[in-house]
Structures are given as structure tokens and as C-alpha cells.
Amino acid sequence: MATQNEGTAAMTGMRPWYDIEPYNGKVVDCGTFVNSVARPVESLNGRWNHALDQYNVFFKKQWWTDEDRQRFRKEAKFPYDYSFNDWPEIDVPSTINTAVPEAKYFEGAVEYTRKFNYRKHADGERVFLKIGAAHHRSAAFVNGHYLGQHLGGFTPHYMEITDLLDLHNRIIVAVDTSRNNLYIPTPLTDWFNYGGLYRDVELIRVPATFIRDYFVRLVPGSDFRKVAIDVVVNGAQKADVQVEIAELGVKTTVSVDSSGRGQAVIDCQPQLWSPDAPTLYDVVLTCGTDRVADRIGLREIRVEGLDILLNGEKIWLRGICCHEDHPQRGRTLTEDDVRTNFALAKELNCNFMRLAHYPHHERSARIADEMGLLLWEEIPVYWDVAFGSPDTLADARNQLSELIRRDRNRASVIIWSVGNENLDTDERLAFMGNLAGLAHELDDSRLVSAACLIHNDRFDDRLIEHLDVIGMNEYYGWYSPDFEKMLDLEKDSLPDKPVIITETGGGALSGHHGTKDTMWTEEFQAEIYRKQTEYVPQLKSVRGLSPWILYDFRAPFRLNRYQQGYNRKGLLNPDRTYRKQAFYVLRDFYGRLAGEKPA
Ligand code: GCU
């Protein structure tokens, strides 16, 4: 427990809560991952009590020990400054900035707490607490025990609570929504910093020995005839894993070593997953009494020269970018919101989406698996990051690892992106080259990219050597008025690998009309799209386009009369009820492309 002077030091802001005892001794990271996306779970979502704790007193006074209350109950009355059950109620999941109107611009600690009952279902049962995401740094507590802290606001983390549970229990999750320059992302982002306990909180019950992780994919270059299955078993009695894919007549055993890890490669000829035929197979893994049943698509993505090949066929990616943002719900999108977004992409004749600039909810990739959309997923190494800081690199590596472990069984995900629009410096090259290497190490079946900047109208970002596909953000017609320079891009810098235009476009206020030369009108935005869709096909190295962005989204520094706190480059307005003229320009362009086979 923090001593008084440490507490005082912390109280005076000398050292942040996460750097003092006991918090700094227990970090929850990708090493605690439990692949639960296909497991039955018990939701702890619902009405919780919460407190906006501007001075982080919860951490400094260690309210979570509830010792004050204990003393109070046992000894003479004395004042204490919290009462969990009397704190105002709030929905979990939700972003604090939308759930509590007076907290719209709040950045600091928010404590969430609720009680729950637990009854053991089976002898030897183990229980894990899963926090789907808490932005940006969080600490969890059950029944007065500190479980650990997690850094990174977009990916799940897991903590075992088996031995801490009683019939009646209290959970507390304290979320520090503030960011700093050493974090990923930094405080300067062109999106609103929604914070809080904004994704699902769940309990996962598993047997004493269980399947902690698995990875099932087509072996690249195997002529679509081999499937690799990696498993990780956790528990005292490590046991082999049986895997069955009934529709393929596959029934095999994956032997595991003393660490619980194992791999098997099996021969089979699956119906390959693609956007036009999103075939998913029931994959059932069993180990002792543990059973996991997932639905997994099998497909191959690779590059050959300037081409991207999906299942051996050249593909041209007809995409659109998308933020997780909603006028009422902030970043806590519902399943319907995601399905609406993906249906709008399909209406645009898209086969591809760039989920910017951070890991979206895990349901996004599962829905894309079903609907047949290829995905670019990304960690928020965004703009000017502390590329020289080892702690920042560790944070980025952990977020990338948590993303890849979470989604690598999703056929829809074809590209891992290690960042966006970072100036080409030596430190950045080392930092993002390191991340690209980690992505290749964790997943041999996908492409690695990043959204790079164009320097002096040329493709000359040194990071390109680490990437399989070059993401390129260009704004000819908006930030770069001279459209003609776009056709010079390849003049003396023709890349030797495929390029995806990962951002382009311009701003327009819905319903604001004028001539095609009047900035911020729909006509001006539509003219940019008309020219982009005329020029992009003339670039020999481009194999995909993903304009910025499907719908307008909250952006704190966008403050002119047309923006009013929103980035207006959307093809739709913020609540997706209005399609701007440019929507139809892109839809028709992609419709023509969809009708043609790629060159
Ligand atoms: C950049 C950046 C986006 C931003 C966009 C814009 O390309 O990647 O996050 O919103 O520009 O200026 O609108």
C-alpha cells in the first residue's frame, strides 16, 4: 500500500498514479490474452455506478481497498469521501464524453463499479475477467484486490480472478482517459478523444486446462491445399487439442509441448473465402472438457510484383475509410451501427474498408467475415509519436500484438497497418520498421502496410522497404491544389510493390451547395472525386483506393463555420442519414470497376 508520503507525492502530482506502488508492479498486456471471441461469456454490461475523479484520489487514497469503509463499520465513525452504491449510474459500455453530458470534454480518472454474483458451475473451473477496451489506461479491482493496469485504449485485456470470487462480488474499473506525448496515440489526433469503459466487460469460465489461443489459416503458397492450426493450451495438465472441420472431413490432433504450444498442418481443399463468396467453416477445438467453436474463413492474400492476389486472382481494392464515431454514442458503436456502416460500403460497391486509425470493436471483423468485406486494421501510431522512446515502442508493440492475437482468425482482415502519416525520420524508420517486423513475426498469412505521406510529389518514404503494400495518403484537389502533379507521382519513383491510396477527398457540409469551385460545397467535393476517379486508374502501381471517409466525424480542431467541431470529409453526414453528391460519384466509379476484371 502506498505510504503517506508517496500518497502525498502522488497527490501533489509529483508522480502519476500508475508509477507508484502498488500500481506500477502489475501490468496486464498481450501475454494475458485469452481467445474468447467464440466462447460463451457472461456479460457484466449494464448499469454501473461511476465517479468523475479529477484528482485521481481513488488511486492515491486506495478507495478500492474499501478499508475506510471496513474501519468505519468496525470502529468509531470517521468521514470518508466515497460511497460506491450512491455514485450516479452509467451504462457500460459507453464513452464518458457522450454518456455524461457535463463530461463531454473531461479528461482524467473515471471510476466504474458494480456488484455481481458468482456461483461455480464445475469443479476446477477458472474465471477470467475480460475488458474489451478502456481508453486510455485502466486498472481493475475485484473484492478489494488489485488485478493490474493496462495501457492502450482499443484492444482487450484479460485477468484471472478465479481465487478472488465469492457469492457476492464487487468489481471496480478505474479508467484514466488522459493521454500524453509518450502514448499511442499522442494528444494530437484529428479525432475526438472519447474515453472510458467503452467496450464490453465479460466473465469467461474455462476448465482448469483450456485452449487459451488458436490460429487457423490457409498456408500461403500451398496451392490452397494446406491449413495450419496453431494452439496454446493453458493449465496444469497440458493436453493435446482435437480439431474438427466437419464440412471438410477434417479431424486431427494437435500435439502440444510442455509449454502448451503446438501446430499441425493438414491437407484439405476448402471453398475459399472472398468478398463475393464469404464462406465460413465451423471449426471445433476440444481439449479435455474444454470446447471452442469458431466460424473461420480460409483464403490467401499475397502480393506479386505490383499486384495484390486474393486466392491467386488479381484484385483491385475498392475501399472507403471509417472511424468509430457516432453523434450520440461516440466510439461505442452498436452491432447495428457496424452493420449499417458496412451496408453503406456495400452500397458504394466496396470490397474493402480501412478501419482507421485504431483497432475497432472485435465484432467488426466478424461481421466483415459474414458480409464479405476485406479489412485494413491499424494501430494508432499517428502523426508525431515519441519515436525515440523505448516505452512508447513497447506500448505500440503491445497494442499491435493484442490486435493481431484478437483478429488473426478473421479472413476479412488482409492488412495490418503499423501507423499513419509519420514524417520519414531515422527514429521513425527504426520504430515502425520494428513494428512491421513484429506483424510479420506474429502472422505469416497477411500483408503489412502503413499509410505513408507523399514527399515532394514522390513515393519515396524509406519505410516502404519494410512494407508488403504501400499505403499512400494524397489530397490532390484539397490540400494539394495542383491536381496535375498527381500524374507525376510515378515519373521517377515507380514503386516495385502495390500501392493503395489510403486517403484522398475533401470537405463538404451536407446540403451546402454552390459551384464546383466553391470550397466546402457538395459540388466542390464531388468534383474532387470525379478527378480522383479519373486520375487514380492512370497510376500504374495503384491497386486500391480508400477515400477519406465514409461519414463526418467529431474532430476537435476542425472549427470553421462549415466544420463546427466535425471533420466534414465524409460521404455522409454524421448520423448517416444524408448522402452527399460525392457518394454517388464514388459508387458509380466502383460500380464500373466491379463490372470489369482487374487488368
Ligand atoms: C490525414 C489523417 C486523417 C485526417 C485527414 C484530414 O490524412 O490521416 O486522420 O482526418 O488527414 O485532414 O481530414
Side-chain angles (χ1 to χ4, degrees):
M1 181 168 170
T3 60
Q4 188 53 37
N5 55 12
E6 272 183 322
T8 306
M11 189 79 90
T12 56
M14 303 292 278
R15 290 168 59 201
W17 65 267
Y18 44 84
D19 274 354
I20 60 172
E21 287 297 321
Y23 312 109
N24 59 357
K26 202 179 279 185
V27 175
V28 179
D29 61 17
C30 60
T32 68
F33 179 74
V34 173
N35 193 328
S36 64
V37 72
R39 283 184 178 277
V41 296
E42 287 164 59
S43 174
L44 292 180
N45 292 350
R47 298 294 281 175
W48 291 44
N49 300 94
H50 85 288
L52 298 176
D53 176 10
Q54 260 181 304
Y55 300 150
N56 290 345
V57 180
F58 168 87
F59 296 102
K60 293 150 191 170
K61 298 279 286 176
Q62 300 200 4
W63 287 349
W64 45 276
T65 58
D66 204 11
E67 275 177 354
D68 298 3
R69 196 65 177 273
Q70 306 302 342
R71 274 203 296 278
F72 172 70
R73 274 198 284 270
K74 288 179 193 137
E75 294 157 14
K77 292 189 186 317
F78 74 104
Y80 52 89
D81 292 323
Y82 65 93
S83 53
F84 297 141
N85 294 329
D86 304 327
W87 284 352
E89 289 196 353
I90 191 170
D91 280 336
V92 168
S94 67
T95 54
I96 192 68
N97 321 83
T98 52
V100 179
E102 61 270 22
K104 178 174 181 181
Y105 295 104
F106 177 85
E107 287 211 14
V110 189
E111 281 90 46
Y112 298 78
T113 184
R114 65 161 285 177
K115 292 187 279 192
F116 65 95
N117 293 341
Y118 164 74
R119 288 181 180 78
K120 186 183 290 193
H121 288 174
D123 284 345
E125 175 178 272
R126 297 169 67 181
V127 183
F128 285 82
L129 169 67
K130 172 186 178 183
I131 295 178
H135 193 282
H136 188 80
R137 188 190 276 259
S138 64
F141 311 82
V142 164
N143 297 339
H145 299 275
Y146 169 52
L147 305 179
Q149 62 165 295
H150 180 263
L151 177 60
F154 306 93
T155 42
H157 61 283
Y158 298 77
M159 294 150 281
E160 183 162 8
I161 55 173
T162 310
D163 300 331
L164 307 177
L165 292 171
D166 298 317
L167 172 59
H168 303 297
N169 305 277
R170 173 175 290 283
I171 178 174
I172 302 173
V173 180
V175 184
D176 185 342
T177 70
S178 51
R179 296 155 301 153
N180 70 46
N181 290 322
L182 289 175
Y183 282 179
I184 300 289
T186 68
L188 181 63
T189 58
D190 190 21
W191 70 82
F192 190 94
N193 171 42
Y194 294 111
L197 192 50
Y198 76 100
R199 291 193 185 147
D200 308 307
V201 181
E202 297 164 342
L203 293 182
I204 300 152
R205 297 172 190 253
V206 294
T209 294
F210 72 103
I211 301 160
R212 181 165 212 143
D213 195 5
Y214 54 91
F215 180 20
V216 181
R217 73 281 191 199
L218 213 58
V219 175
S222 68
D223 199 20
F224 322 120
R225 294 167 178 269
K226 289 187 183 302
V227 168
I229 304 168
D230 290 63
V231 297
V232 180
V233 171
N234 182 282
Q237 312 298 328
K238 306 268 188 308
D240 294 346
V241 176
Q242 282 66 47
V243 181
E244 184 171 10
I245 311 176
E247 293 153 279
L248 290 176
V250 166
K251 203 164 184 174
T252 190
T253 297
V254 183
S255 302
V256 299
D257 61 22
S258 57
S259 74
R261 294 176 181 284
Q263 183 188 79
V265 177
I266 54 176
D267 294 322
C268 61
Q269 284 183 265
Q271 170 75 39
L272 300 177
W273 185 96
S274 72
D276 297 333
T279 307
L280 298 175
Y281 286 99
D282 288 319
V283 179
V284 179
L285 304 97
T286 51
C287 176
T289 58
D290 193 25
R291 180 180 187 277
V292 187
D294 202 344
R295 287 180 58 70
I296 296 177
L298 298 166
R299 56 103 190 94
E300 179 194 77
I301 190 77
R302 63 189 177 86
V303 296
E304 199 169 270
L306 290 178
D307 291 317
I308 299 174
L309 304 180
L310 175 67
N311 303 328
E313 301 272 319
K314 291 179 186 177
I315 187 168
W316 207 94
L317 299 174
R318 308 185 304 274
I320 189 72
C321 294
C322 184
H323 258 303
E324 271 190 328
D325 191 279
H326 189 281
Q328 283 78 46
R329 292 184 278 281
R331 194 176 303 134
T332 303
L333 299 192
T334 64
E335 172 146 354
D336 280 352
D337 292 333
V338 176
R339 290 185 182 281
T340 298
N341 293 345
F342 288 10
L344 285 165
K346 287 280 192 179
E347 186 184 334
L348 281 167
N349 295 307
C350 291
N351 59 6
F352 175 67
M353 285 186 87
R354 178 183 175 205
L355 302 187
H357 283 292
Y358 39 76
H360 288 208
H361 193 291
E362 63 199 29
R363 66 162 66 100
S364 299
R366 294 183 70 74
I367 293 169
D369 274 7
E370 291 166 30
M371 293 180 69
L373 276 168
L374 298 160
L375 296 181
W376 163 300
E377 293 197 332
E378 184 164 299
I379 57 169
V381 176
Y382 182 88
W383 286 356
D384 186 15
V385 162
F387 290 116
S389 155
D391 289 348
T392 308
L393 177 59
D395 176 11
R397 283 176 62 91
N398 185 60
Q399 292 194 42
L400 180 60
S401 301
E402 290 181 344
L403 168 62
I404 292 177
R405 282 194 172 86
R406 187 195 75 178
D407 285 359
R408 62 185 175 181
N409 286 304
R410 307 279 73 84
S412 52
V413 181
I414 56 169
I415 294 172
W416 303 120
S417 167
V418 295
N420 178 77
E421 288 201 349
N422 318 96
L423 289 180
D424 183 357
T425 65
D426 292 346
E427 283 187 337
R428 174 270 191 160
L429 181 59
F431 188 103
M432 294 181 74
N434 180 299
L435 294 177
L438 176 62
H440 281 122
E441 185 190 313
L442 291 175
D443 181 0
D444 57 4
S445 69
R446 286 181 175 83
L447 307 176
V448 176
S449 190
C452 302
L453 288 163
I454 290 174
H455 301 280
N456 314 319
D457 299 309
R458 290 163 40 93
F459 291 127
D460 68 357
D461 188 321
R462 290 177 294 165
L463 182 64
I464 287 172
E465 65 179 275
H466 296 272
L467 307 179
D468 300 309
V469 177
I470 303 167
M472 195 55 68
N473 292 355
E474 52 88 358
Y475 278 94
Y476 290 98
W478 185 256
Y479 295 121
S480 315
D482 185 349
F483 237 115
E484 299 321 305
K485 288 197 171 164
M486 183 170 168
L487 296 178
D488 293 342
L489 271 175
E490 295 172 326
K491 198 161 59 175
D492 58 359
S493 66
L494 180 65
D496 60 359
K497 53 188 74 169
V499 173
I500 301 171
I501 303 291
T502 34
E503 286 186 33
T504 191
L509 177 62
S510 305
H512 178 53
H513 295 288
T515 70
K516 63 182 174 57
D517 302 315
T518 311
M519 200 169 248
W520 301 107
T521 62
E522 288 193 38
E523 289 74 12
F524 188 92
Q525 185 191 43
E527 182 61 15
I528 291 175
Y529 274 74
R530 252 189 292 282
K531 276 196 158 176
Q532 283 286 343
T533 55
E534 181 193 329
Y535 283 26
V536 165
Q538 298 178 48
L539 295 173
K540 291 188 279 303
S541 59
V542 172
R543 293 296 179 275
L545 170 65
S546 186
W548 191 258
I549 187 168
L550 184 58
Y551 45 77
D552 298 349
F553 60 95
R554 274 203 185 88
F557 67 74
R558 303 295 182 174
L559 299 173
N560 76 26
R561 58 193 283 215
Y562 304 104
Q563 297 165 316
Q564 304 129 338
Y566 273 83
N567 183 308
R568 297 288 184 193
K569 296 188 182 69
L571 295 177
L572 293 103
N573 65 342
D575 63 8
R576 294 67 140 166
T577 54
Y578 181 97
R579 293 162 178 73
K580 302 174 194 175
Q581 290 177 13
F583 179 96
Y584 302 101
V585 176
L586 187 66
R587 180 200 64 181
D588 296 347
F589 170 65
Y590 283 166
R592 291 192 299 279
L593 281 190
E596 300 156 9
K597 274 289 174 202

